[in-house]
Amino acid sequence: MSELDRVLIAGGGPVGFTAALNLARRGIPFTLLEGGDRIFDDPRAGTIHPPTLEMFEDIGVTKLFMERGFIVNNYHYRDRRQGLIADFDLNVLKDDTPFPFRLMLEQHKICYILRDLLKEYSGNEILMQHRVTKVEQDGSGVTATVETPDGEKTFRGRYIIGCDGGRSQVRKSMGVKFDGFTYGERFLVLSTRYDFGKAGYAITNYIADPVEWCAMFKVPGNDEKGMWRVVFPADAQAAPETIFEEASVQARIQGFHPKDGPYDVVHRNLYDVHQRVASCYRNGRLLIAGDAAHINNPLGGMGMNFGLHDAFNLVDKLGRIMLDGESEDILDQYDRQRRTVAEEYLQRQTIENKKNIEQKDAAAQEKFYDELRGIVADRSKLRTYLRRVAMIEGIERANSIT
Ligand SMILES: Cc1cc2nc3c(=O)[nH]c(=O)nc-3n(C[C@H](O)[C@H](O)[C@H](O)COP(=O)(O)OP(=O)(O)OC[C@H]3O[C@@H](n4cnc5c(N)ncnc54)[C@H](O)[C@@H]3O)c2cc1C
């Protein structure tokens, strides 16, 4: 095959590796260019939703995820003072999906699993410390200019998929807009081995409060025995060292779950949080997927999942073009399908999740709690609600777009 039968992938996060495995399975060679020197293992995505498990099941990967992850059959919506408001039973989705649960598995482990599976395929390249700085296109392909430890190099391919995250260089080379907004506060993620399960919490919990809301969930952690992550809002103006001070982080966790003695806080991380969608996911041979195309707050655990769905959708279309000779017009369909649901579901739902968890109007908060209580008390309402938040409805909507 010539270099122009190759697909370039910028970025070795979960979306880049998912695109790579899907290309390799079709026999389409790829070169994955990752700017970092390793797969990043900072505490970000940890939740996999049912449609994502279904997609990976089709390529024989879900069982590997299940061996390493924790199953969440139910999750809690709580109020910091009132306690449990609603317990969501995901098993109500049993007729909608073979995976009526969430799976907790850290995103870097997803990358490790996919990278290991890629060793079975030849003709591909995974190049670390290769940062894409510019992408240009012509009638037959794309040229990526790449910064490497040995100086600047260029790589040619027929297409490039920008899976290079929120600051995507591929998106910048496409010249598309990335409109939306950045929240006034950052999100602080604390990790502790303390077992909140013994205190009655579910594996996933959303704890509402007008000031000190938090989201808390359990992931396997490095020893696979369990690590609890707690996400709080943090002042965007404060210095990270102040936010990370031992007394301050202890006070925050003790504040919603007081206990004797300090918490064993293993990690402290701060993230800026944005809500943005690219104005187009395609410019000729340049394509974007994942955080390069859309970013959102992590409440609901949707961002990575959405990006993985992008990768499956896009590589299916690239395969139809490169192997079956279909028209490149279907790449515009990729843009229509995935951008529409990013706007209609991903952005809408995550903005709403944040608004609800930090609701300052007491009457509005009580009204919302009553709605949640009504939903969990009625199996039919619960199913409708969970089909949306478990991302099933979004996939159906995307697939309905021609
Ligand atoms: C606290 C937190 C919790 C979250 N929880 C969840 C969750 O539970 N579920 C969920 O679905 N999502 C969650 N998310 C969102 C999720 O982390 C992202 O959506 C996900 O990382 C996107 O994957 P990606 O592969 O598109 O981008 P990234 O993971 O950002 O990977 C991009 C890669 O590209 C590389 N790169 C960047 N620029 C270049 C360049 N110019 N050239 C080459 N390489 C480059 C980077 O080094 C990186 O490795 C969470 C996010 C945060 C911050």
Side-chain angles (χ1 to χ4, degrees), residues 59-124:
I59 60 169
V61 179
T62 292
K63 64 176 183 309
L64 301 174
F65 291 168
M66 302 271 291
E67 279 165 18
R68 308 267 316 258
F70 292 158
I71 289 178
V72 180
N73 290 310
N74 65 310
Y75 70 89
H76 286 175
Y77 206 96
R78 292 169 168 260
D79 175 274
R80 190 175 163 103
R81 276 155 292 190
Q82 297 179 41
L84 184 65
I85 301 295
D87 185 354
F88 289 88
D89 175 9
L90 287 150
N91 192 45
V92 74
L93 297 173
K94 66 182 184 338
D95 296 330
D96 295 276
T97 170
F99 304 102
F101 46 80
R102 293 176 172 196
L103 188 75
M104 304 309 292
L105 182 66
E106 299 95 325
Q107 71 178 58
H108 61 274
K109 293 185 188 161
I110 295 176
C111 294
Y112 294 159
I113 291 170
L114 301 178
R115 183 193 55 188
D116 288 349
L117 290 170
L118 281 164
K119 290 179 185 150
E120 291 171 24
Y121 300 88
S122 57
N124 306 303

Coordinates of all heavy atoms in Angstrom, one line a residue, residues 59-124:
I59 N -16.4 -5.7 18.6 CA -15.0 -5.9 18.1 C -14.3 -6.8 19.2 O -13.0 -6.8 19.2 CB -14.3 -4.6 17.7 CG1 -14.2 -3.7 18.9 CG2 -15.0 -3.9 16.6 CD1 -13.2 -2.5 18.7
G60 N -15.0 -7.4 20.0 CA -14.5 -8.4 21.0 C -13.7 -7.8 22.1 O -12.8 -8.5 22.7
V61 N -13.9 -6.6 22.5 CA -13.1 -5.9 23.5 C -13.8 -5.8 24.9 O -13.1 -5.8 25.9 CB -12.6 -4.5 23.0 CG1 -11.8 -3.8 24.1 CG2 -11.9 -4.6 21.7
T62 N -15.1 -5.8 24.9 CA -15.8 -5.5 26.1 C -15.4 -6.5 27.2 O -15.3 -6.1 28.4 CB -17.3 -5.5 25.8 OG1 -17.6 -4.3 25.0 CG2 -18.2 -5.4 27.1
K63 N -15.2 -7.8 26.9 CA -14.9 -8.7 28.0 C -13.6 -8.3 28.7 O -13.4 -8.5 29.9 CB -14.9 -10.2 27.5 CG -13.8 -10.5 26.4 CD -13.9 -12.0 26.1 CE -12.8 -12.4 25.1 NZ -12.7 -11.6 23.9
L64 N -12.7 -7.7 27.9 CA -11.4 -7.3 28.5 C -11.6 -6.1 29.5 O -11.0 -6.0 30.5 CB -10.4 -6.9 27.5 CG -10.0 -8.0 26.5 CD1 -9.1 -7.5 25.4 CD2 -9.3 -9.2 27.2
F65 N -12.6 -5.2 29.1 CA -12.9 -4.1 30.0 C -13.6 -4.7 31.2 O -13.3 -4.2 32.4 CB -13.9 -3.1 29.3 CG -13.3 -2.3 28.1 CD1 -14.2 -1.6 27.3 CD2 -12.0 -2.3 27.9 CE1 -13.7 -0.9 26.3 CE2 -11.4 -1.5 26.9 CZ -12.3 -0.8 26.1
M66 N -14.5 -5.6 31.0 CA -15.3 -6.2 32.2 C -14.4 -6.9 33.2 O -14.6 -6.8 34.4 CB -16.3 -7.1 31.7 CG -17.3 -6.6 30.7 SD -18.8 -5.8 31.4 CE -19.6 -7.2 32.0
E67 N -13.3 -7.5 32.7 CA -12.4 -8.2 33.6 C -11.7 -7.2 34.5 O -11.3 -7.6 35.6 CB -11.3 -8.9 32.8 CG -11.8 -10.2 32.2 CD -10.8 -10.8 31.1 OE1 -9.7 -10.3 31.0 OE2 -11.3 -11.6 30.4
R68 N -11.5 -6.0 34.1 CA -10.8 -5.0 34.9 C -11.7 -4.0 35.6 O -11.2 -3.3 36.5 CB -9.8 -4.2 33.9 CG -8.9 -5.0 33.0 CD -7.6 -5.4 33.6 NE -6.9 -4.3 34.2 CZ -5.9 -3.6 33.7 NH1 -5.5 -3.8 32.4 NH2 -5.2 -2.7 34.4
G69 N -12.9 -3.8 35.2 CA -13.8 -2.7 35.7 C -14.7 -3.2 36.8 O -14.9 -4.4 37.1
F70 N -15.4 -2.2 37.4 CA -16.4 -2.4 38.4 C -17.8 -2.1 37.7 O -18.0 -1.1 37.1 CB -16.3 -1.4 39.6 CG -15.1 -1.6 40.4 CD1 -14.7 -0.6 41.2 CD2 -14.4 -2.8 40.5 CE1 -13.6 -0.7 42.0 CE2 -13.3 -3.0 41.3 CZ -12.9 -1.9 42.1
I71 N -18.7 -3.0 38.0 CA -20.1 -2.8 37.4 C -20.9 -2.0 38.4 O -20.9 -2.2 39.6 CB -20.8 -4.2 37.2 CG1 -20.1 -4.9 36.0 CG2 -22.3 -4.0 37.0 CD1 -20.7 -6.3 35.7
V72 N -21.6 -1.0 37.8 CA -22.5 -0.1 38.6 C -23.9 -0.5 38.2 O -24.4 -0.1 37.1 CB -22.3 1.4 38.3 CG1 -23.2 2.3 39.1 CG2 -20.8 1.8 38.5
N73 N -24.7 -1.1 39.1 CA -26.1 -1.5 38.8 C -27.0 -0.4 39.1 O -28.1 -0.3 38.6 CB -26.5 -2.8 39.5 CG -25.7 -4.0 39.0 OD1 -25.8 -4.2 37.8 ND2 -25.1 -4.7 39.9
N74 N -26.6 0.5 40.0 CA -27.5 1.6 40.5 C -26.6 2.8 40.9 O -25.5 2.6 41.3 CB -28.4 1.2 41.6 CG -27.6 0.9 42.9 OD1 -26.6 0.1 42.8 ND2 -27.9 1.5 44.0
Y75 N -27.1 4.0 40.7 CA -26.4 5.1 41.2 C -27.3 6.0 42.0 O -28.5 6.0 41.9 CB -25.7 5.9 40.1 CG -26.6 6.6 39.1 CD1 -26.9 7.9 39.3 CD2 -27.0 6.0 37.9 CE1 -27.7 8.6 38.4 CE2 -27.8 6.7 37.0 CZ -28.2 8.0 37.3 OH -29.0 8.6 36.4
H76 N -26.7 6.8 42.9 CA -27.5 7.7 43.8 C -27.5 9.1 43.4 O -26.4 9.7 43.0 CB -26.9 7.6 45.2 CG -27.1 6.3 45.9 ND1 -26.6 6.1 47.2 CD2 -27.9 5.3 45.6 CE1 -27.0 4.9 47.6 NE2 -27.7 4.4 46.6
Y77 N -28.6 9.8 43.6 CA -28.7 11.2 43.6 C -29.0 11.6 45.0 O -29.9 11.1 45.6 CB -29.8 11.8 42.6 CG -29.4 13.2 42.2 CD1 -28.8 13.4 40.9 CD2 -29.7 14.3 43.0 CE1 -28.4 14.7 40.5 CE2 -29.3 15.6 42.5 CZ -28.7 15.7 41.3 OH -28.3 17.0 40.9
R78 N -28.1 12.4 45.6 CA -28.2 12.8 47.0 C -28.2 14.3 47.2 O -27.8 15.0 46.3 CB -27.0 12.2 47.8 CG -27.0 10.7 47.9 CD -25.7 10.2 48.4 NE -25.8 8.8 48.8 CZ -26.0 8.4 50.0 NH1 -26.1 9.2 51.0 NH2 -26.1 7.1 50.2
D79 N -28.7 14.7 48.3 CA -28.6 16.1 48.7 C -27.6 16.1 49.9 O -27.7 15.2 50.8 CB -30.0 16.7 49.2 CG -29.9 18.1 49.7 OD1 -29.6 18.2 50.9 OD2 -30.1 19.0 48.9
R80 N -26.8 17.1 50.0 CA -25.7 17.1 51.0 C -26.3 17.0 52.4 O -25.8 16.4 53.3 CB -24.9 18.4 50.8 CG -23.6 18.4 51.7 CD -22.8 19.7 51.3 NE -21.8 20.0 52.3 CZ -20.5 19.8 52.1 NH1 -20.1 19.2 51.0 NH2 -19.7 20.1 53.0
R81 N -27.5 17.7 52.6 CA -28.1 17.7 54.0 C -29.2 16.7 54.1 O -29.3 16.0 55.1 CB -28.6 19.1 54.3 CG -27.5 20.0 54.8 CD -27.8 21.5 54.6 NE -27.8 21.8 53.2 CZ -27.8 23.0 52.7 NH1 -27.9 24.0 53.5 NH2 -27.7 23.2 51.4
Q82 N -30.0 16.5 53.1 CA -31.2 15.6 53.2 C -30.8 14.1 53.0 O -31.5 13.2 53.4 CB -32.2 15.9 52.2 CG -32.8 17.3 52.3 CD -33.9 17.5 51.2 OE1 -34.6 16.7 50.8 NE2 -33.9 18.7 50.6
G83 N -29.6 13.9 52.4 CA -29.2 12.5 52.1 C -29.8 12.0 50.8 O -30.0 12.7 49.9
L84 N -30.1 10.7 50.8 CA -30.6 10.1 49.5 C -31.9 10.6 49.0 O -32.9 10.7 49.7 CB -30.7 8.5 49.7 CG -31.1 7.7 48.4 CD1 -29.9 7.8 47.4 CD2 -31.4 6.3 48.8
I85 N -31.9 11.1 47.7 CA -33.1 11.6 47.1 C -33.6 10.5 46.1 O -34.8 10.2 46.1 CB -32.8 12.9 46.3 CG1 -32.2 13.9 47.2 CG2 -34.0 13.3 45.5 CD1 -33.1 14.5 48.2
A86 N -32.8 9.9 45.3 CA -33.3 8.9 44.3 C -32.2 7.9 44.1 O -31.0 8.2 43.9 CB -33.7 9.6 43.1
D87 N -32.6 6.6 44.0 CA -31.7 5.5 43.7 C -32.0 5.0 42.3 O -33.1 4.4 42.1 CB -31.8 4.5 44.8 CG -30.8 3.3 44.6 OD1 -30.1 3.3 43.6 OD2 -30.8 2.5 45.5
F88 N -31.2 5.2 41.3 CA -31.5 4.8 39.9 C -31.0 3.4 39.6 O -29.8 3.1 39.6 CB -30.8 5.8 38.9 CG -31.4 7.2 39.0 CD1 -30.9 8.1 39.9 CD2 -32.4 7.5 38.1 CE1 -31.5 9.4 40.0 CE2 -33.0 8.8 38.2 CZ -32.6 9.7 39.1
D89 N -32.0 2.6 39.3 CA -31.7 1.2 39.0 C -31.5 1.0 37.5 O -32.5 1.0 36.7 CB -32.9 0.3 39.5 CG -32.8 -1.1 39.2 OD1 -31.7 -1.5 38.7 OD2 -33.8 -1.9 39.4
L90 N -30.3 0.8 37.1 CA -30.0 0.7 35.6 C -30.5 -0.6 35.0 O -30.7 -0.7 33.8 CB -28.5 0.8 35.4 CG -28.0 2.2 35.6 CD1 -26.6 2.2 36.1 CD2 -28.1 3.0 34.3
N91 N -30.9 -1.6 35.8 CA -31.4 -2.8 35.3 C -32.8 -2.6 34.5 O -33.2 -3.5 33.7 CB -31.6 -3.8 36.4 CG -31.9 -5.2 35.9 OD1 -31.2 -5.7 34.9 ND2 -32.9 -5.9 36.4
V92 N -33.4 -1.5 34.7 CA -34.6 -1.2 33.9 C -34.3 -1.1 32.4 O -35.2 -1.2 31.6 CB -35.2 0.1 34.5 CG1 -34.4 1.3 34.0 CG2 -36.7 0.3 34.1
L93 N -33.0 -1.0 32.1 CA -32.6 -1.0 30.6 C -32.4 -2.4 30.0 O -31.8 -2.5 28.9 CB -31.4 -0.1 30.5 CG -31.5 1.4 30.9 CD1 -30.1 2.0 30.8 CD2 -32.5 2.1 29.9
K94 N -32.8 -3.4 30.8 CA -32.4 -4.8 30.3 C -33.0 -5.2 29.0 O -32.4 -6.0 28.3 CB -32.7 -5.8 31.4 CG -34.2 -6.0 31.7 CD -34.4 -7.0 32.8 CE -35.8 -7.4 33.1 NZ -36.9 -6.5 32.7
D95 N -34.1 -4.6 28.6 CA -34.6 -4.9 27.2 C -34.0 -4.0 26.1 O -34.3 -4.1 25.0 CB -36.1 -4.8 27.2 CG -36.7 -5.9 28.1 OD1 -36.1 -6.9 28.3 OD2 -37.8 -5.6 28.7
D96 N -33.3 -2.9 26.6 CA -32.7 -2.0 25.6 C -31.3 -2.3 25.3 O -30.8 -1.8 24.2 CB -32.8 -0.6 26.2 CG -34.2 -0.1 26.4 OD1 -34.8 0.4 25.5 OD2 -34.7 -0.3 27.6
T97 N -30.6 -3.0 26.1 CA -29.2 -3.2 25.9 C -28.7 -4.5 26.6 O -29.3 -4.8 27.7 CB -28.3 -2.0 26.5 OG1 -26.9 -2.4 26.5 CG2 -28.7 -1.6 27.9
P98 N -27.8 -5.2 26.1 CA -27.2 -6.4 26.8 C -26.4 -6.0 28.0 O -26.0 -6.8 28.8 CB -26.4 -7.1 25.8 CG -26.2 -6.2 24.6 CD -27.2 -5.1 24.7
F99 N -26.1 -4.7 28.1 CA -25.3 -4.2 29.2 C -26.0 -3.1 30.0 O -25.7 -1.9 30.0 CB -23.9 -3.6 28.7 CG -23.2 -4.5 27.8 CD1 -23.2 -4.4 26.4 CD2 -22.5 -5.6 28.4 CE1 -22.6 -5.3 25.6 CE2 -21.8 -6.5 27.6 CZ -21.8 -6.4 26.2
P100 N -27.0 -3.5 30.8 CA -27.8 -2.5 31.6 C -27.1 -2.1 32.8 O -27.6 -2.2 34.0 CB -29.1 -3.3 31.9 CG -28.7 -4.7 31.9 CD -27.5 -4.9 31.1
F101 N -26.0 -1.5 32.7 CA -25.2 -1.0 33.8 C -24.2 0.0 33.3 O -24.0 0.2 32.1 CB -24.5 -2.1 34.6 CG -23.8 -3.1 33.7 CD1 -22.6 -2.9 33.2 CD2 -24.5 -4.4 33.4 CE1 -21.9 -3.8 32.4 CE2 -23.8 -5.3 32.6 CZ -22.6 -5.0 32.1
R102 N -23.4 0.7 34.2 CA -22.3 1.4 33.9 C -21.0 0.6 34.3 O -21.1 -0.2 35.2 CB -22.2 2.7 34.7 CG -23.3 3.7 34.3 CD -23.1 4.9 35.3 NE -24.0 6.0 34.9 CZ -23.9 7.3 35.3 NH1 -22.9 7.6 36.1 NH2 -24.7 8.2 34.9
L103 N -20.0 0.8 33.6 CA -18.7 0.1 33.9 C -17.7 1.1 34.3 O -17.5 2.1 33.6 CB -18.2 -0.8 32.8 CG -17.0 -1.7 33.2 CD1 -17.5 -2.9 34.0 CD2 -16.3 -2.2 31.9
M104 N -17.1 1.0 35.5 CA -16.1 1.9 36.0 C -14.7 1.4 35.6 O -14.3 0.3 36.1 CB -16.2 2.1 37.5 CG -17.6 2.5 38.0 SD -18.3 4.0 37.2 CE -17.1 5.3 37.7
L105 N -14.1 2.1 34.7 CA -12.7 1.7 34.3 C -12.0 3.0 33.9 O -12.5 3.7 33.0 CB -12.8 0.7 33.2 CG -11.4 0.1 32.7 CD1 -10.7 -0.7 33.8 CD2 -11.6 -0.7 31.5
E106 N -10.8 3.2 34.4 CA -10.1 4.5 34.1 C -9.7 4.5 32.6 O -9.3 3.5 32.0 CB -8.9 4.6 35.0 CG -9.1 4.6 36.5 CD -9.0 3.3 37.1 OE1 -9.3 2.3 36.5 OE2 -8.5 3.2 38.3
Q107 N -9.7 5.8 32.1 CA -9.5 5.9 30.6 C -8.1 5.5 30.2 O -8.0 5.0 29.1 CB -9.8 7.3 30.2 CG -8.9 8.4 30.6 CD -9.4 9.8 30.0 OE1 -10.5 10.2 30.2 NE2 -8.5 10.4 29.2
H108 N -7.1 5.6 31.1 CA -5.8 5.2 30.6 C -5.7 3.7 30.5 O -5.0 3.1 29.7 CB -4.7 5.7 31.6 CG -4.7 5.3 33.0 ND1 -5.5 5.9 33.9 CD2 -4.1 4.3 33.6 CE1 -5.3 5.3 35.1 NE2 -4.5 4.3 34.9
K109 N -6.5 3.0 31.3 CA -6.5 1.5 31.2 C -7.2 1.1 29.9 O -6.8 0.1 29.3 CB -7.2 0.8 32.4 CG -6.4 1.1 33.7 CD -7.0 0.3 34.8 CE -6.4 0.7 36.1 NZ -7.2 0.4 37.3
I110 N -8.2 1.8 29.5 CA -8.8 1.6 28.2 C -7.7 1.7 27.1 O -7.6 0.9 26.2 CB -10.0 2.6 27.9 CG1 -11.1 2.4 28.9 CG2 -10.5 2.5 26.5 CD1 -12.2 3.3 28.8
C111 N -6.9 2.8 27.2 CA -5.8 3.0 26.2 C -4.9 1.8 26.3 O -4.4 1.3 25.2 CB -5.1 4.3 26.5 SG -6.1 5.7 26.3
Y112 N -4.5 1.4 27.5 CA -3.5 0.3 27.6 C -4.1 -1.0 26.9 O -3.4 -1.7 26.2 CB -3.2 -0.1 29.0 CG -2.5 1.0 29.8 CD1 -2.5 1.0 31.2 CD2 -1.7 2.0 29.3 CE1 -1.9 1.9 32.0 CE2 -1.1 3.0 30.0 CZ -1.2 2.9 31.4 OH -0.6 3.9 32.2
I113 N -5.3 -1.3 27.2 CA -5.9 -2.5 26.6 C -5.9 -2.4 25.1 O -5.6 -3.3 24.4 CB -7.4 -2.7 27.1 CG1 -7.3 -3.1 28.6 CG2 -8.2 -3.8 26.3 CD1 -8.7 -3.1 29.4
L114 N -6.3 -1.2 24.5 CA -6.4 -1.1 23.1 C -5.0 -1.1 22.4 O -4.8 -1.8 21.4 CB -7.1 0.2 22.7 CG -8.5 0.4 23.2 CD1 -9.1 1.7 22.8 CD2 -9.5 -0.8 22.7
R115 N -4.0 -0.5 23.1 CA -2.7 -0.5 22.6 C -2.1 -2.0 22.6 O -1.5 -2.4 21.6 CB -1.8 0.3 23.5 CG -0.3 0.5 23.0 CD 0.6 1.0 24.1 NE 0.5 0.3 25.4 CZ 1.0 0.7 26.5 NH1 1.7 1.8 26.6 NH2 0.9 -0.1 27.6
D116 N -2.4 -2.7 23.6 CA -2.0 -4.1 23.6 C -2.6 -4.9 22.5 O -2.0 -5.8 21.8 CB -2.3 -4.8 25.0 CG -1.3 -4.3 26.0 OD1 -0.4 -3.6 25.7 OD2 -1.6 -4.5 27.2
L117 N -3.9 -4.7 22.2 CA -4.6 -5.4 21.1 C -4.0 -5.1 19.8 O -3.9 -5.9 18.9 CB -6.1 -5.1 21.1 CG -6.9 -5.7 22.3 CD1 -8.3 -5.1 22.3 CD2 -6.9 -7.2 22.2
L118 N -3.5 -3.8 19.7 CA -2.9 -3.4 18.4 C -1.6 -4.1 18.0 O -1.2 -4.1 16.9 CB -2.7 -1.9 18.4 CG -4.0 -1.1 18.2 CD1 -3.8 0.4 18.6 CD2 -4.4 -1.2 16.7
K119 N -1.0 -4.8 19.0 CA 0.3 -5.5 18.7 C 0.0 -6.7 17.8 O 0.9 -7.2 17.2 CB 0.9 -6.0 20.0 CG 1.4 -4.9 20.9 CD 2.0 -5.4 22.2 CE 2.4 -4.2 23.1 NZ 2.3 -4.5 24.5
E120 N -1.2 -7.1 17.7 CA -1.6 -8.2 16.8 C -1.6 -7.8 15.3 O -1.7 -8.7 14.4 CB -3.0 -8.8 17.1 CG -3.0 -9.5 18.4 CD -4.5 -9.8 18.8 OE1 -5.3 -9.9 17.9 OE2 -4.7 -9.9 20.0
Y121 N -1.5 -6.5 15.0 CA -1.6 -6.1 13.6 C -0.3 -5.5 13.2 O 0.4 -4.8 14.0 CB -2.7 -5.0 13.5 CG -4.1 -5.5 14.0 CD1 -4.5 -5.4 15.3 CD2 -4.9 -6.1 13.1 CE1 -5.7 -5.9 15.7 CE2 -6.2 -6.6 13.5 CZ -6.5 -6.5 14.8 OH -7.8 -7.0 15.2
S122 N 0.1 -5.7 11.9 CA 1.3 -5.2 11.4 C 1.1 -4.0 10.5 O -0.1 -3.8 10.0 CB 2.1 -6.3 10.7 OG 1.4 -6.8 9.7
G123 N 2.1 -3.3 10.2 CA 2.0 -2.2 9.1 C 1.6 -0.9 9.7 O 1.4 0.1 9.0
N124 N 1.5 -0.8 11.0 CA 1.0 0.4 11.7 C 2.1 1.0 12.5 O 3.1 0.3 12.9 CB -0.2 0.1 12.6 CG -1.3 -0.6 11.8 OD1 -1.7 -0.1 10.8 ND2 -1.6 -1.8 12.2

